[in-house]
C-alpha cells in the first residue's frame, strides 16, 4: 500500500494533447478514471467526441488514509484519494475493505480449583483484553502411589479440554502419610492392614523419657502428644519378675514406663470385595473375660472391647469399622449342645470363636493341638500390664502369650476356650474367666476400597 503524506505527493501531470488546438472546439466526452491495481495511482482521461485522437489524461499518485481501523472481528475501511491539477478532472476517492485481523491470543493460563476437582483454561487477546476464551472442565483423579503409615503417597489430577488451543493439564499431589493410621492401609502383599493406634513399644530412650515426663496434660485417651507422636504410660504390674521388654530391658514392678502408640497391624482373615475380617497380629492388652460366667454377651471383656478399647484404638478415626453380627451359637463352640452359648451380639470389636481358630480359610490349623498358625506375641504394653508372656521356651516362642477366644467351654460355666503360647486351643487351668494374665486379641470387620 502506498501511504504517502498528502503534501508530499506531487501530481504527475501528463496532459497530452495529441492534435492541434483550434481546429475545432473539443467536445469532451465523459472523463474515465482508472485506478492502478494497487491504487497507487489514478489516471483521468477524456476523449474528444469530435476526434478521438484528441485526449486529455492526467495520472497522479494517490494518498491513503485509514477511515476505520480493522478489529479482531470487524472489517475496517481505507481510502485512496487522487487529486488532479487539471480543473477538467474531479478529485477521486476509492474505499477499500481492510479485512478483520482475527484474535491474537496470548499463551493460555490454567487455574486449578482449591480442591483440584476442576481446572479452568483461559487465554486473552493481546489486541483487546475483553476478548477471552475460557473453558472449565472436571478433572479425573488417580492414585499413583497410595499413602501408607510410613510414607507419603502421590496422586494425579488430569484435566482434558475440548478447545484445541488448550493442552492437557496434570497436577500431582502428595498424599500425606497417615502416621496415626486413621484409615486402613493394606500391605502390598494383602496379608495385613494397619488401622488404629495403640500403646505398644516401650520407650527406652532416657532423654525422650525425661521429655515425656515434663508433659502434664494428656490428649486423646489419656495419651500424651510429643513431636507429633502419641505416648502412653503405665505403672508396671508384670506377671513375673523375670519379664523383659522386647529390647531386653527388665520390667521392674511398680516402675512407670512410657510406651509409644503405634499403628495396630491386623492379619487379614478374609477379604470379601473390600469387607475385611481382621484379627490383631499381636496381643495388645490384658483383661479378664469376666468375674464368674462364660457367657460372652454379658461378659466384661465384651464391654471393655467395645468401649475402652474401641474408643482408644480408633479415637483418631473409626469410619471404616462396621458393626458385626457376632455368631455366638453353640456351633461356634466345642459342642452343638453347649448350654453356655448365648444370643448373637452386635459388636464393633469382638474376639474370634473356638471354630474360627480352626478355620483353614482363615489360615488356622484345623485341629486344637499346637500350631504356629495361632501363636501370638504379647506387646511390651500388655506385658507391663500383667499379661502372661512365655520366657522359658525355645526362642521362637518367647514373648508369646495366652489369649481368649469368645467361646464358652461346654463343660463348665466359668471356663472359656483359650489359645496357649504354642498355639494350642485349651480349657485347662488358666482359662477360667477371671484369669487376669490372659491377653486380648481383638478382631474387627472393616470396609474399604
Ligand atoms: Zn477535439
Ligand atoms: Zn481479539
Amino acid at each position: 500500500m502506498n501511504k504517502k503524506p498528502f503534501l508530499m505527493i506531487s501530481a504527475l501531470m501528463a496532459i497530452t494533447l495529441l492534435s492541434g488546438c483550434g481546429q475545432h472546439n473539443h467536445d469532451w466526452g465523459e472523463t474515465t478514471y482508472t485506478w492502478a491495481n494497487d491504487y497507487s495511482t489514478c489516471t483521468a482521461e477524456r476523449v474528444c467526441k469530435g476526434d478521438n485522437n484528441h485526449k486529455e489524461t492526467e495520472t497522479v499518485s494517490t494518498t491513503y488514509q485509514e477511515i476505520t481501523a480493522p478489529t479482531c472481528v470487524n472489517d475496517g475501511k481505507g481510502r485512496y484519494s487522487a487529486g488532479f491539477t487539471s480543473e477538467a478532472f474531479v478529485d477521486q476517492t476509492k474505499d477499500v475493505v481492510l479485512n478483520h485481523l482475527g484474535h491474537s491470543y496470548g499463551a493460555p493460563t490454567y487455574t486449578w480449583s482449591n480442591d483440584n476437582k476442576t481446572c479452568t483454561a483461559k487465554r486473552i487477546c493481546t489486541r483487546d483484553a475483553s476478548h477471552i476464551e475460557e473453558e472449565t472442565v472436571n478433572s479425573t483423579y488417580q492414585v499413583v502411589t497410595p499413602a501408607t503409615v510410613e510414607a507419603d503417597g502421590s496422586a494425579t489430577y488430569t484435566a482434558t479440554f475440548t478447545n484445541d488451543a488448550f493442552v492437557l493439564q496434570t497436577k500431582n499431589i502428595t498424599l500425606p502419610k497417615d502416621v496415626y493410621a486413621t484409615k486402613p492401609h493394606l500391605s502390598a502383599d494383602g496379608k495385613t492392614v494397619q488401622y488404629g493406634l495403640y500403646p505398644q513399644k516401650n520407650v527406652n530412650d532416657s532423654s525422650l523419657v525425661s521429655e515425656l515426663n515434663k508433659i502434664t496434660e494428656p490428649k486423646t485417651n489419656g495419651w500424651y502428644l510429643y513431636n507429633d507422636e502419641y505416648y502412653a504410660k503405665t505403672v508396671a504390674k508384670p506377671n513375673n519378675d523375670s519379664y523383659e521388654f522386647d529390647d531386653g530391658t527388665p520390667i521392674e514392678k511398680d516402675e512407670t514406663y512410657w510406651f509409644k502408640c503405634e499403628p495396630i497391624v491386623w492379619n487379614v482373615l478374609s477379604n470379601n470385595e473390600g469387607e475385611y475380617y481382621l484379627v490383631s497380629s499381636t496381643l495388645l492388652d490384658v483383661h479378664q473375660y469376666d468375674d464368674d460366667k462364660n457367657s460372652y454377651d454379658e461378659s466384661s471383656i465384651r464391654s471393655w472391647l467395645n468401649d475402652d478399647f474401641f474408643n482408644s484404638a480408633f479415637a483418631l478415626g473409626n469410619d471404616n469399622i462396621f458393626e458385626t453380627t457376632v455368631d455366638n451359637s453353640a456351633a461356634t463352640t466345642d459342642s452343638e449342645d453347649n448350654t453356655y452359648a448365648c444370643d448373637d451380639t452386635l459388636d464393633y470389636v469382638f474376639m474370634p470363636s473356638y471354630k474360627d481358630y480352626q478355620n483353614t480359610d482363615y489360615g488356622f490349623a484345623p485341629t486344637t493341638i499346637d500350631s504356629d498358625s495361632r501363636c501370638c506375641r504379647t506387646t511390651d504394653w500388655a506385658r507391663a500390664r500383667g499379661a502372661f508372656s512365655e520366657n522359658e521356651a525355645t526362642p521362637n516362642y518367647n514373648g508369646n502369650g495366652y489369649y481368649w477366644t469368645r467361646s464358652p467351654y461346654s463343660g463348665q460355666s466359668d471356663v472359656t476356650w483359650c489359645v496357649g503360647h504354642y498355639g494350642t486351643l485349651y480349657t485347662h487351668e488358666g482359662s477360667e474367666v477371671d484369669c487376669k494374665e490372659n491377653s486380648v486379641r481383638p478382631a474387627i470387620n472393616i470396609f474399604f476400597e
Side-chain angles (χ1 to χ4, degrees):
M1 263 177 238
N2 198 349
K3 293 185 182 178
K4 288 176 185 165
F6 185 75
L7 290 173
M8 292 292 287
I9 57 110
S10 60
L12 169 65
M13 201 168 144
I15 299 173
T16 314
L17 298 173
L18 292 174
S19 63
C21 297
Q23 287 183 344
H24 62 258
N25 287 323
H26 299 300
D27 178 13
W28 297 108
E30 294 255 324
T31 303
T32 61
Y33 298 93
T34 307
W35 294 83
N37 285 339
D38 65 357
Y39 307 110
S40 60
T41 63
C42 183
T43 298
E45 180 182 78
R46 62 179 181 169
V47 179
C48 176
K49 289 177 184 171
D51 183 342
N52 63 11
N53 288 319
H54 300 165
K55 290 179 180 174
E56 231 177 40
T57 70
E58 184 182 358
T59 297
V60 294
S61 294
T62 58
T63 59
Y64 174 78
Q65 191 185 5
E66 190 177 77
I67 306 299
T68 314
T71 67
C72 295
V73 291
N74 293 319
D75 292 342
K77 186 157 82 174
R79 180 169 293 165
Y80 290 94
S81 299
F84 295 95
T85 55
S86 168
E87 289 186 356
F89 300 139
V90 179
D91 291 348
Q92 297 292 304
T93 60
K94 184 66 146 186
D95 288 350
V96 293
V97 171
L98 304 175
N99 289 330
H100 66 273
L101 303 168
H103 300 291
S104 170
Y105 287 112
T109 58
Y110 301 92
T111 310
W112 290 88
S113 60
N114 286 338
D115 62 4
N116 296 317
K117 297 252 173 74
T118 65
C119 184
T120 298
K122 187 176 180 178
R123 58 178 188 159
I124 300 172
C125 183
T126 56
R127 283 192 252 279
D128 185 334
S130 71
H131 299 164
I132 295 170
E133 256 187 2
E134 195 173 278
E135 185 180 359
T136 298
V137 295
N138 293 326
S139 61
T140 57
Y141 175 76
Q142 192 172 21
V143 173
V144 179
T145 312
T148 65
V149 168
E150 293 87 8
D152 291 346
S154 64
T156 303
Y157 289 95
T158 303
T160 310
F161 299 92
T162 56
N163 186 334
D164 288 344
F166 302 137
V167 298
L168 179 139
Q169 296 293 299
T170 58
K171 184 166 183 183
N172 298 321
I173 60 156
T174 297
L175 302 173
K177 63 180 172 182
D178 183 15
V179 292
Y180 303 141
T182 60
K183 300 187 295 275
H185 297 279
L186 185 67
S187 63
D189 64 9
K191 290 181 177 171
T192 60
V193 168
Q194 286 176 294
Y195 188 33
L197 204 65
Y198 208 68
Q200 295 185 56
K201 199 185 197 69
N202 171 244
V203 177
N204 68 357
D205 174 343
S206 57
S207 61
L208 175 55
V209 168
S210 73
E211 290 302 314
L212 293 171
N213 283 334
K214 292 176 192 165
I215 308 172
T216 52
E217 283 296 314
K219 306 274 188 194
T220 310
N221 305 329
W223 298 348
Y224 296 78
L225 193 58
Y226 179 75
N227 277 356
D228 297 328
E229 307 268 21
Y230 281 102
Y231 298 88
K233 60 181 170 181
T234 194
V235 177
K237 301 288 180 198
N239 184 263
N240 186 302
D241 289 344
S242 62
Y243 280 5
E244 297 174 345
F245 291 126
D246 278 346
D247 65 4
T249 306
I251 307 175
E252 307 284 353
K253 191 169 185 291
D254 296 327
E255 194 75 26
T256 297
Y257 293 97
W258 285 95
F259 299 82
K260 189 172 175 199
C261 299
E262 297 176 313
I264 300 170
V265 178
W266 305 84
N267 293 342
V268 175
L269 299 186
S270 67
N271 169 16
N272 180 20
E273 292 178 351
E275 281 188 24
Y276 292 82
Y277 178 25
L278 307 175
V279 69
S280 172
S281 65
T282 55
L283 303 179
L284 291 170
D285 215 327
V286 64
H287 198 278
Q288 66 178 43
Y289 189 98
D290 195 57
D291 287 334
D292 48 13
K293 287 206 297 269
N294 63 5
S295 75
Y296 172 71
D297 56 348
E298 293 171 349
S299 65
S300 62
I301 200 167
R302 180 173 167 243
S303 305
W304 183 85
L305 283 168
N306 286 280
D307 191 353
D308 302 64
F309 178 79
F310 177 76
N311 289 322
S312 253
F314 301 105
L316 304 173
N318 61 18
D319 290 347
N320 298 81
I321 301 185
F322 60 89
E323 278 187 304
T324 300
T325 300
V326 178
D327 179 2
N328 297 317
S329 65
T332 65
T333 74
D334 60 300
S335 166
E336 295 280 352
D337 303 319
N338 192 334
T339 54
Y340 305 115
C342 64
D343 292 340
D344 291 351
T345 50
L346 198 58
D347 297 335
Y348 286 108
V349 190
F350 53 98
M351 296 176 297
S353 69
Y354 169 86
K355 282 286 167 63
D356 282 345
Y357 278 120
Q358 296 170 72
N359 188 334
T360 53
D361 289 344
Y362 297 156
F364 297 118
T367 60
T368 61
I369 60 172
D370 295 0
S371 168
D372 289 352
S373 66
R374 285 184 292 262
C375 286
C376 200
R377 280 180 65 81
T378 52
T379 58
D380 286 348
W381 172 261
R383 231 169 283 157
R385 288 173 38 90
F388 168 85
S389 179
E390 176 58 39
N391 66 348
E392 292 169 351
T394 54
N396 285 350
Y397 297 91
N398 278 339
N400 288 356
Y402 298 164
Y403 59 93
W404 306 104
T405 76
R406 69 171 182 271
S407 300
Y409 169 50
S410 60
Q412 205 170 322
S413 69
D414 63 349
V415 173
T416 60
W417 284 97
C418 290
V419 179
H421 61 295
Y422 292 119
T424 321
L425 275 158
Y426 73 95
T427 58
H428 57 75
E429 189 182 347
S431 72
E432 294 87 0
V433 292
D434 62 351
C435 173
K436 291 181 172 61
E437 61 184 59
N438 285 354
S439 292
V440 191
R441 189 178 189 185
I444 53 175
N445 275 295
I446 65 170
F447 179 79
F448 73 103
E449 292 172 303

